[in-house]
Amino acid sequence: MNFNFINLQPYTNPQYFVYLMIGLVPIIIGLYHGHRLKIYEVAFSLVFLFLIFDGDKWQQGVNLIIYLLFQLLVSYWYLHYRQNGKNKTWVFYLAVVLAILPLVLVKFQIAFPKAPIPGVLAFLGISYITFKTVQVIMETRDGAIKELDLSTYLRFLLFFPTFSSGPIDRYRRFAKECNVAPKRDQYLADLEIATRNLFQGFLYKFVLGWFFGTYWLPKISKAALIAGAANGGLKFSWWLVAYMYCYSMYLFFDFAGYSLFAVSISNFMGIHTPVNFNKPFISQNIKEFWNRWHMTLSFWFRDYIYMRFTFFAMKKKLFKNPIRLSQAAYLLLFLTMGFWHGLTWYYIVYGLFHAMAIIINDCWLRYKKRHKEQIPSNKFTKWLAIFVTFNIVCFSFLIFSGFLSELWFGWK
């Protein structure tokens, strides 16, 4: 049965929310009365997941099933290995590589479509489910996860509100909430927050995101290309600056709106999915920005790449200087983030740009600490720091957009 006359991709149009809220009514009534309707919640999620992969996207649904079976096999194999008291490092690395392998192959397939890579791997949401499975394997290795309930693990991986683009939850936090109903007072507070986030998401995605991304950005893009062609080799114009700011606002409002929807629907279902954005454009430095922007992703990379590499390098004594160790960890972290976005030059340069920005920021903070009596600190310097950070971030988003490829080389 084909429902493609209704766009049922997650959070893409206001009509989608009508069907979503109708499906949520029994869950809301049940939680209000202190009952979690687990069977209905599973059915509700599966129905909306099925509608995502209906019609010409059915192959992606098959890919998802194959992927889940593979990840369950890897996760439970490694869990069984650890439960037997074994902890060989190479086995842990093998489990992580196997968990990441489908995503790596998909990224290569997108970058090199003619390469002999199986197309059976790709489906909507593969990145964020991979982050969850890798997190579970790593915490199993640490001993933080000693058991994996199959039904809870599947619900965690397939949790509908965050399925396609996050936020990225943690298994242990999710498992504490998904099988019990919150107290009525708590749930009423959750409903209030969920409603506010829902309407704020509408403002962000369907009003501000539409204005910056659909209405204004194409006009500015066209003007920047015309001005760039007229300027010859330099290809700079104030229209390019306008594009940088417009695209940055579109990227924020579109993605923050999506994340607000995911958190809102989670709250309606009695699950406290972590928030993804916390006023990122008031950050006073680039490190603070990454503690406010796409927080669940940046914290995932911090915990499972930056910290893991740092502990490994300290154990193996790869660096004598802790500052050089930190800098190498930043380079690894943001290069990985760049490659995750895609195997194109502007994503990789975007990652390197942020790595260098954080390294320079750390140098400045150390210098500032040594000379705190000579360097003023007041409202003016605070707003100057916010202004500088905002423009650095917007320039990085210009790189990320890929627009420079079109402007410089005519690549679309």
Side-chain angles (χ1 to χ4, degrees):
M1 190 173 183
N2 193 329
F3 288 85
N4 282 344
F5 60 92
I6 303 169
N7 189 344
L8 287 172
Q9 299 305 297
Y11 315 128
T12 49
N13 62 75
Q15 185 184 17
Y16 171 84
F17 290 86
V18 175
Y19 303 98
L20 187 59
M21 296 309 295
I22 291 173
L24 283 171
V25 168
I27 296 174
I28 295 171
I29 294 173
L31 290 174
Y32 178 80
H33 289 286
H35 303 293
R36 183 172 287 282
L37 309 178
K38 289 192 287 186
I39 295 177
Y40 177 82
E41 286 185 20
V42 171
F44 167 78
S45 293
L46 289 177
V47 166
F48 274 86
L49 287 174
F50 168 78
L51 294 175
I52 291 175
F53 301 116
D54 183 40
D56 59 359
K57 294 182 174 62
W58 68 270
Q59 182 63 58
Q60 289 192 35
V62 175
N63 298 347
L64 169 60
I65 295 171
I66 295 171
Y67 169 88
L68 282 175
L69 292 174
F70 176 76
Q71 294 290 8
L72 288 174
L73 179 63
V74 173
S75 299
Y76 277 93
W77 161 69
Y78 187 69
L79 176 66
H80 178 72
Y81 174 82
R82 290 290 289 121
Q83 286 174 337
N84 288 332
K86 301 176 182 178
N87 194 20
K88 295 286 186 181
T89 302
W90 72 268
V91 178
F92 164 68
Y93 289 151
L94 176 61
V96 171
V97 168
L98 289 174
I100 295 175
L101 184 61
L103 177 60
V104 172
L105 292 177
V106 166
K107 295 297 182 181
F108 270 100
Q109 183 188 33
I110 294 172
F112 307 103
K114 295 182 179 180
I117 300 172
V120 73
L121 298 168
F123 63 89
L124 177 70
I126 186 173
S127 290
Y128 289 89
I129 301 181
T130 301
F131 290 140
K132 291 180 178 181
T133 56
V134 171
Q135 171 239 315
V136 165
I137 290 171
M138 288 189 171
E139 294 195 357
T140 300
R141 200 262 180 129
D142 296 342
I145 294 176
K146 300 181 184 299
E147 298 287 344
L148 272 179
D149 178 72
L150 179 59
S151 63
T152 302
Y153 190 32
L154 283 172
R155 289 168 67 192
F156 171 66
L157 295 179
L158 297 174
F159 186 56
F160 169 71
T162 64
F163 177 80
S164 61
S165 298
I168 308 168
D169 207 347
R170 304 293 175 95
Y171 174 78
R172 287 183 291 155
R173 198 216 63 78
F174 180 86
K176 290 178 181 178
E177 293 185 347
C178 71
N179 292 314
V180 296
K183 294 181 179 179
R184 179 173 293 185
D185 290 345
Q186 176 63 58
Y187 187 59
L188 289 174
D190 290 345
L191 289 179
E192 182 178 347
I193 295 171
T195 303
R196 183 174 68 245
N197 284 338
L198 185 66
F199 282 100
Q200 187 176 349
F202 270 95
L203 173 64
Y204 277 19
K205 186 170 179 65
F206 296 123
V207 179
L208 297 173
W210 174 87
F211 174 75
F212 285 108
T214 303
Y215 176 76
W216 205 11
L217 193 63
K219 295 179 173 62
I220 294 176
S221 173
K222 184 177 179 179
L225 289 171
I226 294 172
N231 288 344
L234 183 61
K235 295 186 181 297
F236 171 82
S237 70
W238 289 110
W239 283 111
L240 180 60
V241 177
Y243 182 95
M244 177 181 79
Y245 290 125
C246 185
Y247 179 81
S248 298
M249 293 302 100
Y250 160 69
L251 188 65
F252 169 70
F253 286 117
D254 184 75
F255 195 16
Y258 176 98
S259 296
L260 283 168
F261 290 145
V263 172
S264 171
I265 303 306
S266 298
N267 285 338
F268 279 122
M269 298 177 69
I271 301 292
H272 297 97
T273 292
V275 297
N276 233 3
F277 294 90
N278 180 23
K279 302 176 183 177
F281 294 136
I282 65 169
S283 303
Q284 296 184 50
N285 58 62
I286 200 69
K287 185 177 288 186
E288 182 184 350
F289 170 79
W290 280 107
N291 286 326
R292 293 173 174 271
W293 175 274
H294 204 349
M295 294 185 292
T296 61
L297 178 69
S298 62
F299 294 164
W300 191 98
F301 274 90
R302 178 199 66 192
D303 293 345
Y304 300 114
I305 295 181
Y306 179 87
M307 296 303 297
R308 302 275 169 164
F309 174 79
T310 301
F311 290 147
F312 172 82
M314 290 174 62
K315 183 178 179 180
K316 300 295 183 180
K317 298 181 180 180
L318 299 180
F319 297 88
K320 294 181 179 179
N321 188 325
I323 294 175
R324 297 293 174 265
L325 169 59
S326 176
Q327 291 171 347
Y330 282 133
L331 282 169
L332 175 64
L333 185 153
F334 283 101
L335 263 179
T336 304
M337 186 179 290
F339 278 109
W340 167 68
H341 279 105
L343 302 181
T344 53
W345 74 266
Y346 45 86
Y347 290 140
I348 297 168
V349 171
Y350 168 81
L352 284 171
F353 180 90
H354 273 281
M356 296 308 300
I358 283 193
I359 289 171
I360 293 170
N361 178 74
D362 276 0
C363 292
W364 163 248
L365 291 178
R366 286 193 297 272
Y367 178 85
K368 187 178 178 181
K369 187 176 181 180
R370 292 195 304 268
H371 301 83
K372 58 183 178 181
E373 294 182 358
Q374 290 81 24
I375 299 176
S377 179
N378 50 49
K379 288 184 178 180
F380 173 78
T381 59
K382 173 185 174 181
W383 285 107
L384 177 62
I386 292 173
F387 175 79
V388 171
T389 303
F390 173 74
N391 281 277
I392 289 172
V393 167
C394 288
F395 181 72
S396 76
F397 288 156
L398 175 63
I399 297 171
F400 180 85
S401 71
F403 183 68
L404 294 177
S405 286
E406 186 175 357
L407 181 66
W408 291 346
F409 311 117
W411 299 342
K412 294 185 179 181

